[in-house]
Amino acid sequence: MRHGIKLIFEHMTQKDVRSIVPLDAGITNDNYLINNAFVLRYVPKDVDPTIDRKLEKLVYDKIEPLGISEKLYIFDEKTGIKITRFVHSSRFYKVTPTNEQLIYVSKALKKLHTSSIDVGKGYDLYKKLNFYKKFADKSEYLDQKFEKMVIKEAKIIEENEPIVLCHNDLVIGNLLFKYNGVTIIDWEYASMNYEIFDLASFVSENNLSEESTTFFLKKYYGYKYSNLKKKKVESYSRLLDILFYYRAIYYYKKRENRIYFNIAVDKLNRIKNSIMSLKNFY
């Protein structure tokens, strides 16, 4: 595989390859550090078909002035192969984000959400949810009464939510922390979406505690923060747990990689805890 990556990189950049190191970050795509200066993303054939590569390229072009993403070098819209500048002196958080790291994320998302950037295409959450769910067996379906209740509540919340450019995939592997901020990478799911999606996604995907959730949202909303806003984010997080549960099942069926099974189990446990906390939903 490394020889193939070498040929791809040299063909696309006209630069010689001196070193190739596979990167552990990212699970849906294969990433390689080239010459300790570039990261090449190779997209497998069985990647999520709901991803729009033309849209991803447009997003990178639009957000470049914000300074919150990795710097794009070359992007092939047909194959999804992407070459970016390597983000030196960066790291992932350990166990859970620190308060300082929560501040960095809140500032980066605020800059993104208030940028007035419009890429003209939305996320279509419910279409994606139905697509992923088709690959689950009936025995893998969640409690349907709970699922319908969560969706109903989410749609009510969406009625008053601003639509902004969102990243839509704020997992640990997409957050590179530096001494003075964060670089958010891998914008393949980015699109116009409800602001609350990114906030709930960050809370859900990083398993923030209630204390960390409150701290993060206070930093994001500032004087506009309220307990009602927090409750809405927590409610919307339940919808994203459902979405990402079915997405993990989709990828597990496609690739039979244990990591997707583990993600599905993690989401299922979060959902079970939500059901337990909402004792009166029946």
Side-chain angles (χ1 to χ4, degrees), residues 244-255:
F244 298 140
Y245 166 76
Y246 285 121
R247 188 170 80 179
I249 288 178
Y250 162 79
Y251 269 116
Y252 183 64
K253 296 290 178 68
K254 286 285 185 179
R255 299 183 177 181

Side-chain angles (χ1 to χ4, degrees), residues 14-128:
Q14 304 304 306
K15 295 178 182 290
D16 293 332
V17 172
R18 299 185 303 277
S19 64
I20 299 178
V21 179
L23 296 175
D24 292 333
I27 58 174
T28 57
N29 304 300
D30 300 323
N31 295 279
Y32 300 87
L33 175 59
I34 313 290
N35 297 342
N36 199 39
F38 300 93
V39 175
L40 185 149
R41 178 190 71 188
Y42 181 80
V43 180
K45 291 181 179 180
D46 59 353
V47 77
D48 188 341
T50 69
I51 295 173
D52 184 335
R53 297 301 174 189
K54 289 185 178 181
L55 177 61
E56 182 185 5
K57 173 61 166 58
L58 176 61
V59 168
Y60 270 106
D61 291 342
K62 293 278 191 177
I63 65 174
E64 197 276 334
L66 300 180
I68 61 174
S69 66
E70 76 273 47
K71 293 189 179 299
L72 187 65
Y73 186 62
I74 295 176
F75 193 104
D76 187 325
E77 295 178 4
K78 292 183 179 180
T79 63
I81 293 174
K82 177 187 68 173
I83 299 175
T84 55
R85 299 283 184 178
F86 179 55
V87 182
H88 289 278
S89 302
S90 63
R91 64 193 186 281
F92 301 119
Y93 65 73
K94 295 181 180 179
V95 184
T96 187
T98 64
N99 283 351
E100 184 179 33
Q101 290 169 335
L102 292 174
I103 292 173
Y104 293 156
V105 174
S106 69
K107 287 182 176 180
L109 290 181
K110 197 68 177 180
K111 181 180 286 190
L112 174 67
H113 295 163
T114 59
S115 65
S116 299
I117 294 174
D118 189 342
V119 295
K121 187 172 182 179
Y123 186 77
D124 207 343
L125 185 157
Y126 301 103
K127 182 177 180 180
K128 288 179 182 288

